[in-house]
Amino acid sequence: MTPVNPTTEESNVVSVVDYIRGNIREYGMLIALVAIMLFFQIYTGGILFRPVNLTNLVLQNSFIVIMALGMLLVIVAGHIDLSVGSIVALVGAIAAILTVSLGVNFWLAGVICILVGALIGAAQGYFIAYHRIPSFIVTLAGMLVFRGLTLTVLGGKNIGPFPKEFQVISTGFLPGDMIDIAGIPVQSTSLILTLIIPAVLFYLAWRRRKVNESHGIDVEPFGFFIGQNAIVTLAIIALGWQLSTYRGLPNVLVVMLVLIAVYTFVTRRTTIGRRVYAMGGNEKATKLSGINTERLSFYTFVNMGALAGLAGIIVALRLNSATPKAGVGFELDVIAACFIGGASASGGVGKITGAVIGAFIMGVMNNGMSIIGLGIDYQQMVKGAVLLAAVFFDVYNKNKG
């Protein structure tokens, strides 16, 4: 009798243990984020998950997430960028000069600031990509140069306040009416988006699972797939509900979510995204295959500069003034977010979702430790220990594999 071949779905399904083991880094960091949030929720007496604190958490860390998207590509390509904090300060200073001192239209000023950030990234990328100067040296020099330019542009003083309509980008909320649900006032637009987002994410996850099955790629058991997506859906709805009962979803959160979706698509579905990963994994082999690795490296720094420019606008508008001290230490938080999220220091490895999780781990720790009144000295030690532990975990798993 001729044996019956198993169906494609049956042959592609792996056990839950094997699937988790294959994605242990991502699941480990997600579990760590949940554990940290629960710890601070309990230790602060329920303050962490209050709507006003969740809103502050988003406003305080959105620019870190935005820059982590660009930094991840830089690290995956095998480079590093130490200048992003200084670019944030310089772009904020330029935004203040344009809108406050010169009265330039805020939309035009925003475009100019992002272009300035991209131009700075292009200047650094040129030396790194085409003259083979190590990125550490180039961006370290950039960190010093752009910090000095910020002091020069601002004349050593703060400039502000910004026009109210410009501040809406960073401190505003989605428009919408407040509706009454079971005696609780809820912002309608934010509530609708809170319900739409998990539905879209589930559809995309389902579609990706079907595509993987059709190509013979291992997938998790169906029950596990449903379970993990149900948990994600409930978490999004719970957080969205909390935000909707306060003032709704912040505008900067919407910007952040759009950028996360765009960069997830770019890294997973586009040729340039795959080429960046290939270059980071083995630059010589990638170059021999006919790919222009110099141009790829150049583009990653242009992209990083543009995102740092956007972050500079958001930071300046949130503070409602440009200050010479803006962005100090941001590069460390951004780089730490990427490494905590699973990026490899040797390049070629890293996910957008991991960088976002890493950024929120840093953000929740900063917020939670501030709430409980932990001194800045201890905060720095805790963050350093977490970063070291995350990298050790990554290296340990690689060596074990």
Side-chain angles (χ1 to χ4, degrees), residues 40-54 367 371:
F40 282 117
Q41 171 69 0
I42 296 171
Y43 200 82
T44 61
I47 295 177
L48 185 71
F49 286 163
R50 288 181 183 174
V52 62
N53 190 64
L54 288 175
N367 184 266
I371 292 175

Side-chain angles (χ1 to χ4, degrees), residues 190-211:
S190 299
L191 182 61
I192 292 172
L193 282 177
T194 297
L195 298 175
I196 291 176
I197 290 174
V200 172
L201 291 177
F202 179 80
Y203 168 76
L204 293 175
W206 176 270
R207 181 181 173 185
R208 185 166 60 251
R209 177 185 170 87
K210 290 299 181 183
V211 170

Side-chain angles (χ1 to χ4, degrees), residues 49 143 145 226 229 233 253 293 347:
F49 286 163
M143 179 177 70
V145 170
I226 294 296
N229 280 277
T233 297
L253 174 61
T293 55

Side-chain angles (χ1 to χ4, degrees), residues 90-109:
L90 179 58
V91 170
I94 293 173
I97 295 296
L98 291 175
T99 56
V100 178
S101 302
L102 301 180
V104 176
N105 176 272
F106 68 93
W107 285 112
L108 177 59

Side-chain angles (χ1 to χ4, degrees), residues 57-74 84 88 114 169-170 250-264 300 302-315 318 330 333-335 337-338 352 355-360:
L57 188 62
V58 171
L59 296 178
Q60 290 168 1
N61 295 281
S62 57
F63 50 87
I64 298 296
V65 175
I66 289 171
M67 286 192 288
L69 302 177
M71 186 65 74
L72 177 71
L73 293 180
V74 170
V84 292
V88 165
I114 294 175
I169 299 173
S170 182
N251 291 334
V252 71
L253 174 61
V254 177
V255 173
M256 184 179 73
L257 292 176
V258 170
L259 288 173
I260 291 172
V262 170
Y263 279 84
T264 300
T300 59
V302 172
N303 175 71
M304 183 70 257
L307 290 178
L310 175 59
I313 296 172
I314 292 172
V315 170
R318 183 172 176 272
F330 282 8
D333 282 345
V334 174
I335 293 170
C338 293
I352 293 296
V356 173
I357 291 172
F360 275 108

